[in-house]
């Protein structure tokens, strides 16, 4: 019913910025909470941020608070992740997925994973 496609990744220097997009098809985003997750080679997947269906509630991992901002445009069927002050430790493949709409203390993925987009932070 819902398909998600990530884009916007790339190679940036430390301190640089990127904006990731998670575009939906097959359904509107009005009924879905969406989260961003990332996974570096050899490491486990971790939650980065998530946002409620209305955009009224958000959650951020401690490691990205103050640097990343999640936003949602239901009309455009797109969730964004603005990434500023990037660090080498942010290097990973970033994925978006539907998340539990009832819990925001932790971003819990429920499915509808995208294919991922590579973010590399290096000088």
């Amino acid at each position: 019913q819902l398909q998600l496609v990530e884009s916007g990744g790339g190679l940036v220097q430390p301190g640089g910025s990127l904006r990731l997009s998670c575009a939906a098809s097959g359904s509107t985003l009005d009924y879905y909470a969406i989260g961003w997750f990332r996974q570096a080679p050899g490491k486990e997947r971790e939650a980065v941020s998530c946002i409620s269906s209305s955009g009224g509630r958000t959650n951020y991992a401690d490691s990205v608070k103050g640097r990343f901002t999640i936003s949602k445009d239901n009309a455009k069927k797109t969730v964004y992740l603005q990434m500023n002050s990037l660090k080498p430790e942010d290097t990973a493949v970033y994925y978006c997925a539907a998340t539990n709409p009832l819990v925001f203390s932790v971003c819990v993925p429920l499915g509808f994973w995208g294919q991922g987009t590579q973010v590399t932070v290096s000088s």
Side-chain angles (χ1 to χ4, degrees):
Q1 182 176 354
L2 179 68
Q3 290 181 297
L4 302 173
V5 178
E6 302 92 337
S7 63
L11 173 64
V12 297
Q13 295 184 333
S17 298
L18 285 173
R19 188 184 71 166
L20 305 184
S21 297
C22 175
S25 63
S27 181
T28 70
L29 286 178
D30 296 12
Y31 312 105
Y32 296 94
I34 300 293
W36 285 97
F37 303 81
R38 66 187 182 187
Q39 187 168 25
K43 298 183 179 180
E44 64 182 17
R45 184 184 66 200
E46 64 176 339
V48 176
S49 182
C50 50
I51 188 168
S52 63
S53 59
S54 68
R57 296 196 64 186
T58 59
N59 177 281
Y60 297 93
D62 289 341
S63 60
V64 306
K65 287 181 179 177
R67 300 189 298 120
F68 292 8
T69 303
I70 191 169
S71 61
K72 193 165 187 273
D73 188 332
N74 286 342
K76 295 182 179 179
K77 298 184 179 181
T78 303
V79 175
Y80 303 97
L81 185 67
Q82 180 65 48
M83 309 165 66
N84 299 325
S85 302
L86 284 163
K87 305 174 181 180
E89 64 192 67
D90 295 317
T91 296
V93 177
Y94 284 70
Y95 302 88
C96 60
T99 58
N100 190 333
L102 302 179
V103 178
F104 281 88
S105 58
V106 178
C107 300
V108 181
L110 298 179
F112 302 107
W113 292 95
Q115 84 291 343
T117 185
Q118 177 71 49
V119 172
T120 302
V121 185
S122 176
S123 59

